Amino acid sequence: MAHRLQVFDKAAASIGAEFTELPKASGEAFRSYLKRAVGDDEYLRVGLPGGVQLVHPIRRGERFPINFGRDVASAIAGTPDRADWKKCSVDAAEETARTERFKASFKAHDIMQ
């Protein structure tokens, strides 16, 4: 987890974003903590392993990179070249094969069967 958190912290620092850790809570208590942290602003909330919840309020006029999450996830996965979704495309045959593998993996959970 330390590596993932380091990658996340480095990415946040590179764009000047500060994230606040929210206390562990659920339901109305969690919504209250979130409201205190972000007010009525838009926000990015990140859930990390171990139940850590981080939030960054996106203030009016702030230019927050829309691909931030994808950039961080691809860096953590060790595939930073895949941050650009256009580089993730495959031909129709491979896409069909992946779809079938996905369906087979989750067949036991398919409520429509």
Side-chain angles (χ1 to χ4, degrees):
M1 174 155 145
H3 167 70
R4 290 178 274 200
L5 194 52
Q6 287 172 345
V7 170
F8 180 83
D9 287 343
K10 183 178 177 183
S14 75
I15 63 168
E18 292 185 19
F19 284 79
T20 301
E21 184 173 344
L22 296 172
K24 290 187 178 183
S26 61
E28 192 56 41
F30 181 80
R31 285 188 288 279
S32 176
Y33 290 131
L34 182 60
K35 180 77 170 173
R36 275 186 255 153
V38 301
D40 291 327
D41 288 330
E42 302 285 330
Y43 60 90
L44 175 68
R45 187 174 116 200
V46 177
L48 297 174
V52 174
Q53 295 284 325
L54 303 174
V55 67
H56 169 72
I58 302 172
R59 306 291 182 206
R60 182 176 296 279
E62 179 181 352
R63 298 185 56 88
F64 193 85
I66 197 162
N67 285 333
F68 178 78
R70 188 174 182 100
D71 291 340
V72 172
S74 64
I76 288 171
T79 57
D81 56 311
R82 296 189 64 133
D84 181 355
W85 65 269
K86 294 174 191 168
K87 294 181 181 177
C88 298
S89 64
V90 295
D91 61 36
E94 177 60 22
E95 187 171 339
T96 299
R98 288 179 182 183
T99 301
E100 293 307 317
R101 287 193 304 269
F102 179 83
K103 286 180 183 177
S105 296
F106 288 91
K107 187 172 182 135
H109 308 286
D110 186 354
I111 62 171
M112 302 305 287
Q113 295 291 322

